[in-house]
Amino acid sequence: MFAFMFLSSEVLCNKNKTVLSKDDTLQFSKLAETLETIAEQGVEAFYTGRIGLDLIQDIKDAGGTLTMDDLRSYKVLVGSPWTVSLGTHQMHIAPPPAGGALLAFILSIMQGFSLSSDSLVGKKKIQMYHHYIEAAKFANGQKWNIADPVFSNSKIADQLIQPSFTDHTRRKISSRTHNNSYYFNIKPPSDHFGTTHVSVLDEDGLAVSATSTINQLFGGAVYSPRTGIILNNELADFCGRGALIRPGERPPSSMTPVILEKRSGGILVMGGSGGSMITTSVALSLINHLWLGMSLKESIAAPIIFVDSNNAVNFEPGFDEVMYFHHDHKFVTSLLD
């Protein structure tokens, strides 16, 4: 608790100890020094050098058990992206334990409904969003198949990008919804919030889609005053799977950085923040842009629908939800207010 209060005072308050407000500048000086040192000296400054030593000491002072051996033994895994054909685009996504497969699953289902700008007119608009909500529910039902492939059967997640499986799922979507969670193969995980995302595309066509997180607000609420690092609480992503965790296993994530290449030329880079809302926001933004005729700016700015882990439908403020009330979905709006 002391470490967290120190963070509040050092980073989130003015010199007179009043909390920063809108338009105030947040200065994270100690973290900036740490990042500059790593940029100049390389990652070894963190894993085996002074930064690592300082971090471990702060963790021990806070009652933690992490050691320098833990840092030294950590290995970064570099893998290849999964590539999924999506109409006129090739979509490159991060493989499990990231959430890219769920994004591809939703988009592949929706692609089969032959969407166009006419899908936003009259009753077609209601039908389109109904199909989307049902697809999101089926994606919820597959979340438990997103796991570290080093410790799990990756073929289970592989099916999410197989046309035969997405076609089979699409055929289960009708004009009505189902309140029975077992219909969607649901065993709801907890919803989380947080993360940050940046998309970059330079003049030479180099594209970067990067999502980062410490999970929930202020992570584990433990701050390292020597390094400026806030410790994460990523283990919370194993909630409901605690009995199955193996040493070294990476937690499942909703992060969905994505790069799309148009077959005729052109690159689109996208991703999102917001924990479990990421998949919904990115999927709907891409649907808006790829098939519903919206510009990229319009597609991102458009209000989204979020289907939470209990399959309740949540509308972002500004969404025209009135037109949807006659369908038999469970509605909750407060989560996005």
Side-chain angles (χ1 to χ4, degrees):
M1 181 58 70
F2 171 77
F4 181 65
M5 293 303 294
F6 188 88
L7 165 67
S8 300
S9 175
E10 179 180 296
V11 179
L12 303 180
C13 294
N14 293 301
K15 291 182 179 180
N16 60 3
K17 302 304 179 184
T18 58
V19 178
L20 294 174
S21 58
K22 184 179 179 180
D23 295 329
D24 286 339
T25 301
L26 188 152
Q27 294 182 330
F28 218 151
S29 302
K30 185 57 68 174
L31 180 61
E33 293 174 8
T34 292
L35 296 177
E36 287 178 355
T37 299
I38 294 173
E40 294 170 357
Q41 301 179 15
V43 296
E44 294 307 315
F46 177 84
Y47 289 110
T48 62
R50 182 77 259 164
I51 295 173
L53 290 169
D54 287 342
L55 177 64
I56 293 300
Q57 186 58 56
D58 285 339
I59 290 173
K60 288 182 176 179
D61 291 345
T65 59
L66 203 67
T67 67
M68 281 301 295
D69 286 340
D70 293 321
L71 291 185
R72 293 189 188 99
S73 63
Y74 181 79
K75 302 297 182 183
V76 175
L77 298 180
V78 179
S80 299
W82 284 5
T83 299
V84 180
S85 179
L86 198 67
T88 59
H89 291 77
Q90 289 286 98
M91 182 169 64
H92 307 289
I93 54 176
L102 295 173
L103 173 66
F105 180 63
I106 293 174
L107 292 175
S108 296
I109 291 173
M110 294 302 294
Q111 179 182 217
F113 288 117
S114 302
L115 302 178
S116 68
S117 56
D118 286 343
S119 301
L120 293 175
V121 178
K123 291 183 179 180
K124 291 181 180 180
K125 183 176 183 179
I126 297 174
Q127 183 183 58
M128 188 273 294
Y129 282 119
H130 167 70
H131 289 161
Y132 175 73
I133 288 172
E134 296 296 285
K137 289 181 179 180
F138 278 109
N140 276 343
Q142 295 298 320
K143 283 184 176 179
W144 286 88
N145 291 326
I146 301 299
D148 189 339
V150 176
F151 297 89
S152 65
N153 183 357
S154 61
K155 291 183 179 179
I156 297 178
D158 287 349
Q159 71 179 358
L160 296 176
I161 62 172
Q162 298 302 321
S164 58
F165 185 65
T166 54
D167 290 346
H168 169 73
T169 303
R170 189 185 307 108
R171 288 193 293 269
K172 297 182 71 174
I173 297 176
S174 64
S175 60
R176 62 183 295 269
T177 190
H178 298 265
N179 291 325
N180 187 338
S181 62
Y182 291 102
Y183 184 80
F184 302 100
N185 193 27
I186 298 281
K187 184 180 179 184
S190 299
D191 285 313
H192 300 304
F193 54 90
T195 68
T196 185
H197 178 87
V198 59
S199 298
V200 180
L201 183 64
D202 72 7
E203 61 182 6
D204 298 319
L206 178 64
V208 176
S209 182
T211 311
S212 179
T213 185
I214 56 173
N215 207 28
Q216 295 176 315
L217 187 63
F218 296 115
V222 176
Y223 173 69
S224 166
R226 290 179 174 88
T227 66
I229 294 172
I230 302 174
L231 279 298
N232 68 58
N233 68 332
E234 291 297 333
L235 288 177
D237 284 342
F238 283 116
C239 286
R241 310 187 190 197
L244 304 175
I245 301 176
R246 279 68 55 96
E249 184 174 0
R250 294 170 295 167
S253 174
S254 295
M255 295 191 292
T256 56
V258 58
I259 296 175
L260 289 94
E261 292 183 282
K262 196 169 185 177
R263 300 183 196 279
S264 60
I267 298 176
L268 190 157
V269 188
M270 190 174 284
S273 61
S276 59
M277 295 184 184
I278 295 175
T279 307
T280 297
S281 60
V282 175
L284 199 49
S285 293
L286 287 173
I287 289 171
N288 289 338
H289 181 61
L290 296 178
W291 300 317
L292 299 184
M294 296 187 193
S295 69
L296 187 58
K297 184 176 181 180
E298 290 171 336
S299 68
I300 294 173
I304 66 164
I305 298 173
F306 168 56
V307 182
D308 66 24
S309 61
N310 293 313
N311 276 352
V313 181
N314 306 266
F315 297 98
E316 186 175 5
F319 188 91
D320 182 14
E321 62 199 70
V322 176
M323 61 97 180
Y324 207 75
F325 274 142
H326 75 278
H327 276 254
D328 185 24
H329 286 284
K330 179 182 177 184
F331 293 94
V332 177
T333 58
S334 61
L335 293 183
L336 294 176
D337 288 342

